[in-house]
Amino acid sequence: TNTNEAEAIDFLGRYDREAGQMCNKFMEASWNYNTNVTDFNKRVMLQQQMIWSDFHRTKWNEATNFAWKNFTTPTVRRMFSFLTVLGKAALPRDKLKELTGLLQEMKTTYSVAKICRYDARLRRLPSGDYDYDAEFEADDDNQIGCIPTLPLEPHLTQMMANSRDPDELRYLWRAWREAAGKPIRQKYLRFVELSNEAARLNGFSDAGEYWRSDYEIDGFREEVEELWQKLSPLYQQLHAYVRAKLVEKYGEEVVPRRGPIPAHLLGNMWAQTWTNVLDITIPYPGRTSVDVTNALRIQGYSPLAMFRLAEEFFTSLGLEPMPQTFWQRSMIQKPTDREVVCHASAWDFCNGRDYRIKQCTEVTMEHLVTTHHEMGHIQYDLLYRNQPFIFRDGANPGFHEAVGDVLALSASTPRHLQSVGLLGNVDDSYETDINFLFAMALDKIAFLPFGYLMDQWRWEVFSGDTTSSNLNNRWWELRLGVQGVSPPVPRTEEDFDPGAKFHVPANVPYVRYFVSFVVQFQFHAELCKAAGHEGPLHRCDIYRSVKAGRLLRNVLSLGKSRPWTEALSVLTSGRTNKLDVEPILEYFGPLRTWLESQNRGELIGWRENEAIVLQVT
Ligand SMILES: CC(=O)N[C@@H](CC(=O)O)C(=O)NC[C@H](CC1(C(=O)N[C@@H](Cc2ccc(O)cc2)C(=O)O)CCCC1)C(=O)O
Ligand SMILES: [Zn+2]
């Protein structure tokens, strides 16, 4: 092995230049496929994927020839520690092709899945009523003239958000899982086998351990478990209150007063955020509500105007504007002339100049928040663009997910929405405060158990604790036990419900979002301090604070050049280097007190025997 550190540094210099070019070519091919889903574009992208993997393996061979662990320069050692993990390219070529092929097939199934309109699917009884029980017996579609025409975005997303008909919601919930989840069950099992084989070739016990290594700390799994245990009581208070409101709306036959909440009634296809049932659950209906969707529409906001509004928040902090090419090359609306992957995403083309967002933007408050989220990824990409290629990444994946959300915490406040003209008169009353905190909790607190259980389930699949005999059952054990939601129709091992959530077929890890929802409040607290904010944390708006912007720039410019624990030390001026639930609990403190008083007499938590009995074939 080569102990010459000077030669190693020369190798790293060459790698830096070549990797940027290879990455750019792969991102272009991947972008072309995602913004124009055709077989040709898929083939080109898979070809580029193989070229990138060959490049990665060649460089890996060179890197592993160096005795890098004894090198004296810390950043050189850190670069080699990343370079000497080959990832899926460690697989034999034929298995790598199978793996990438399976991944593309699963992503395509998800992206093009469509279901029939509600009424087209259902048989009518002589009386003219719908025959709900017949809805899935007649699998022979043309018997009832059903042609699947409704895609997830924007149709099913909007229907799940706006329908208040439990039967329609139940149909949509089940039909989507028939179309998107069930068909990929076998492919996913084979994909897991190959992912584990690749992980073992890299010295990990399974793909879950490989994923968790991104967080660079031992006991990350236990750390996440501990954070959830501290947050679960607040979630249970919110769950109890929302359940009581849903009982009021739909009655106890539909919503068990002491049981889990049926998953189709929470305004979201996966019950992961509950903002779309704010109208049913808002604490003080008469008072100010921060859902500015109507104002956006009345004021004629376009997707572009929403993007400009988000960009202006970043530049008000002294952070980077979007590059010129961003506005020319991004896809911010769903095209009408071709299939695209609508799931929003932010793209770094690895050349320090080309950055884009792909988003099927709708003019809603939810999409305004998403726009900040995606632009947060681009901002982070821009701030670390002068780092070496290997360090151009988030300090940990949760940091990358937090950036946009941190700004959105300020941009969503009633005061801020009023200052940009999206909200009329805002009173500083207690009720308005509670309404605002409640709306934020439907997004941030409701999400925590889902953000936690997604990879709990996958880590157990990768480790073999969960197998094909209990794949779907284990999913519902976690959904019931952790999140307190139940399926609106019985589920069996014929189904594959996790497969109906983008990140499973797309194989995108998810615990990053749980980490983000904790750490974004640590960022918020520190930036508010830097901005000189006084008063309750939930009222802070860092808009136009150049001091807050400077602190954020200092933390994010590090990229992955230092462990994220050091980045947290920079953020907190040395006060901590750990994930900490105190800021999120402080932010929601007033709401928790209010919920505890409102929930007197309610069962906090849920009796699992009230869930629909899980059928096991
Ligand atoms: C080239 C590439 O892929 N780039 C990465 C970014 C990067 O790695 O640089 C990327 O763009 N990933 C896409 C993904 C999209 C979204 C998502 O999937 N969100 C989660 C969880 C969630 C829920 C509520 C919330 O407020 C925030 C997050 C979900 O919807 O379940 C959908 C809209 C929001 C974010 C994303 O932006 O994280
Ligand atoms: Zn993100």
Side-chain angles (χ1 to χ4, degrees):
T1 55
N2 186 338
T3 58
N4 183 322
E5 188 160 351
E7 278 184 34
I9 291 170
D10 179 52
F11 159 73
L12 289 173
R14 275 184 285 111
Y15 174 82
D16 195 57
R17 279 188 305 285
E18 291 171 36
Q21 288 156 7
M22 295 299 292
C23 170
N24 177 261
K25 286 224 281 292
F26 174 62
M27 293 306 267
E28 285 281 4
S30 187
W31 174 268
N32 290 341
Y33 171 69
N34 278 273
T35 55
N36 187 1
V37 176
T38 64
D39 277 342
F40 174 75
N41 287 341
K42 185 195 302 187
R43 278 200 303 279
V44 172
M45 183 190 56
L46 292 177
Q47 198 181 6
Q48 275 304 331
Q49 170 99 55
M50 294 313 282
I51 293 168
W52 170 251
S53 296
D54 290 345
F55 168 77
H56 197 170
R57 193 185 301 105
T58 308
K59 295 301 170 186
W60 175 80
N61 281 320
E62 280 185 69
T64 43
N65 277 334
F66 288 100
W68 57 273
K69 286 180 177 147
N70 313 326
F71 285 161
T72 52
T73 326
T75 45
V76 171
R77 277 202 309 274
R78 184 166 176 77
M79 287 186 183
F80 272 97
S81 74
F82 296 151
L83 263 182
T84 50
V85 176
L86 186 49
K88 59 177 178 290
L91 281 171
R93 249 180 113 66
D94 60 328
K95 287 191 171 174
L96 178 61
K97 275 176 91 74
E98 187 187 357
L99 181 85
T100 43
L102 283 168
L103 182 62
Q104 276 323 317
E105 284 162 31
M106 293 192 295
K107 283 179 77 168
T108 303
T109 299
Y110 183 91
S111 286
V112 304
K114 293 182 178 65
I115 70 171
C116 297
R117 274 182 314 102
Y118 179 49
D119 46 16
R121 185 79 190 183
L122 291 175
R123 194 194 307 287
R124 284 183 184 276
L125 298 167
S127 65
D129 295 339
Y130 283 122
D131 178 0
Y132 302 121
D133 301 331
E135 71 187 4
F136 279 88
E137 273 139 34
D139 276 348
D140 162 11
D141 284 354
N142 54 40
Q143 188 180 344
I144 44 178
C146 159
I147 300 153
T149 55
L150 300 180
L152 177 68
E153 295 201 45
H155 301 73
L156 302 189
T157 305
Q158 285 181 350
M159 295 161 116
M160 290 303 290
N162 303 322
S163 169
R164 296 292 178 259
D165 171 354
D167 292 315
E168 177 176 27
L169 288 166
R170 181 170 57 122
Y171 163 77
L172 296 170
W173 188 93
R174 179 168 162 180
W176 172 249
R177 281 154 183 78
E178 296 277 321
K182 196 170 190 172
I184 64 166
R185 181 183 166 108
Q186 291 316 319
K187 284 182 178 143
Y188 190 71
L189 286 165
R190 175 64 183 153
F191 182 82
V192 166
E193 276 172 20
L194 291 167
S195 298
N196 277 336
E197 195 173 323
R200 283 191 287 273
L201 287 168
N202 284 276
F204 296 103
S205 56
D206 62 47
E209 192 194 9
Y210 177 34
W211 282 11
R212 292 189 295 273
S213 68
D214 267 352
Y215 294 87
E216 294 186 80
I217 54 171
D218 297 332
F220 174 68
R221 201 170 181 173
E222 291 71 21
E223 173 103 16
V224 165
E225 168 71 33
E226 194 184 310
L227 294 168
W228 169 239
Q229 290 309 325
K230 291 175 183 168
L231 293 164
S232 163
L234 174 54
Y235 172 72
Q236 295 201 7
Q237 289 292 332
L238 179 70
H239 177 281
Y241 184 83
V242 166
R243 176 180 54 195
K245 288 285 183 179
L246 290 173
V247 169
E248 234 173 86
K249 169 83 181 171
Y250 293 115
E252 290 211 39
E253 337 55 77
V254 177
V255 183
R257 179 175 288 282
R258 288 177 189 72
I261 302 174
H264 63 314
L265 302 174
L266 287 159
N268 175 277
M269 184 57 88
W270 308 279
Q272 69 182 61
T273 47
W274 302 350
T275 38
N276 293 314
V277 292
L278 178 63
D279 59 320
I280 303 175
T281 57
I282 191 162
Y284 300 101
R287 314 305 295 263
T288 311
S289 159
V290 286
D291 185 342
V292 294
T293 300
N294 285 338
L296 286 167
R297 288 179 175 153
I298 290 165
Q299 295 181 29
Y301 266 82
S302 62
L304 183 59
M306 289 160 68
F307 274 69
R308 285 289 183 194
L309 188 66
E311 180 192 40
E312 202 276 329
F313 202 113
F314 284 95
T315 52
S316 83
L317 303 174
L319 294 174
E320 304 293 314
M322 293 299 115
Q324 199 43 43
T325 52
F326 172 87
W327 300 106
Q328 291 152 8
R329 299 178 188 170
S330 291
M331 182 202 94
I332 66 172
Q333 279 185 289
K334 179 173 188 174
T336 53
D337 58 349
R338 58 186 193 278
E339 278 281 358
V340 298
V341 174
C342 255
H343 195 84
S345 52
W347 298 61
D348 177 341
F349 283 78
C350 315
N351 60 13
R353 294 186 306 282
D354 194 350
Y355 301 85
R356 307 176 202 172
I357 286 176
K358 172 184 62 60
Q359 187 173 302
C360 300
T361 311
E362 302 286 309
V363 181
T364 67
M365 172 79 178
E366 199 174 5
H367 275 246
L368 182 60
V369 173
T370 299
T371 301
H372 284 80
H373 179 93
E374 296 309 328
M375 207 169 272
H377 285 304
I378 303 293
Q379 186 63 221
Y380 206 168
D381 297 339
L382 290 169
L383 289 177
Y384 57 55
R385 69 180 178 284
N386 298 320
Q387 289 286 348
F389 177 82
I390 301 175
F391 292 154
R392 281 183 228 147
D393 204 350
N396 77 39
F399 274 47
H400 229 300
E401 297 308 335
V403 178
D405 285 11
V406 170
L407 274 73
L409 286 175
S410 289
S412 306
T413 57
R415 274 261 166 276
H416 186 84
L417 292 170
Q418 182 189 43
S419 74
V420 294
L422 283 170
L423 213 51
N425 64 323
V426 170
D427 57 39
D428 267 349
S429 69
Y430 173 71
E431 289 79 6
T432 296
D433 246 17
I434 294 297
N435 273 357
F436 168 66
L437 277 171
F438 187 83
M440 292 306 287
L442 289 183
D443 190 6
K444 302 296 181 183
I445 303 301
F447 179 80
L448 292 170
F450 187 76
Y452 169 79
L453 69 83
M454 274 279 283
D455 282 352
Q456 291 304 326
W457 179 80
R458 277 194 286 194
W459 291 340
E460 290 175 12
V461 174
F462 288 136
S463 67
D465 292 321
T466 296
T467 66
S468 63
S469 65
N470 65 330
L471 204 60
N472 208 45
N473 229 334
R474 180 60 185 148
W475 170 256
W476 284 106
E477 276 175 8
L478 285 165
R479 288 272 266 173
L480 203 52
V482 171
Q483 198 179 2
V485 301
S486 62
V489 292
R491 311 310 285 156
T492 73
E493 282 307 329
E494 303 288 302
D495 301 303
F496 183 52
D497 297 327
K501 172 64 193 169
F502 173 82
H503 297 70
V504 172
N507 198 45
V508 176
Y510 208 82
V511 77
R512 59 184 59 177
Y513 298 112
F514 179 82
V515 170
S516 159
F517 276 44
V518 172
V519 85
Q520 68 187 243
F521 287 89
Q522 292 179 257
F523 273 81
H524 189 53
E526 298 302 328
L527 296 185
C528 291
K529 200 175 295 168
H533 170 73
E534 285 167 7
L537 182 58
H538 69 272
R539 287 205 177 165
C540 165
D541 174 8
I542 62 170
Y543 186 54
R544 294 204 176 117
S545 167
V546 177
K547 281 184 183 152
R550 190 176 310 117
L551 175 57
L552 191 53
R553 178 184 287 272
N554 291 346
V555 174
L556 299 184
S557 307
L558 293 168
K560 203 175 173 67
S561 62
R562 319 290 307 164
W564 61 270
T565 44
E566 289 186 32
L568 266 190
S569 281
V570 172
L571 176 73
T572 60
S573 317
R575 250 172 285 110
T576 182
N577 70 350
K578 290 175 70 64
L579 297 174
D580 178 9
V581 297
E582 277 325 299
I584 188 172
L585 292 179
E586 176 194 342
Y587 181 97
F588 286 104
L591 180 72
R592 181 183 199 147
T593 309
W594 184 84
L595 284 170
E596 285 164 351
S597 70
Q598 294 295 316
N599 284 335
R600 271 212 194 91
E602 290 291 343
L603 170 77
I604 305 303
W606 48 89
R607 295 207 311 235
E608 306 201 354
N609 59 6
E610 297 198 10
I612 289 182
V613 177
L614 293 174
Q615 283 180 357
V616 182
T617 44

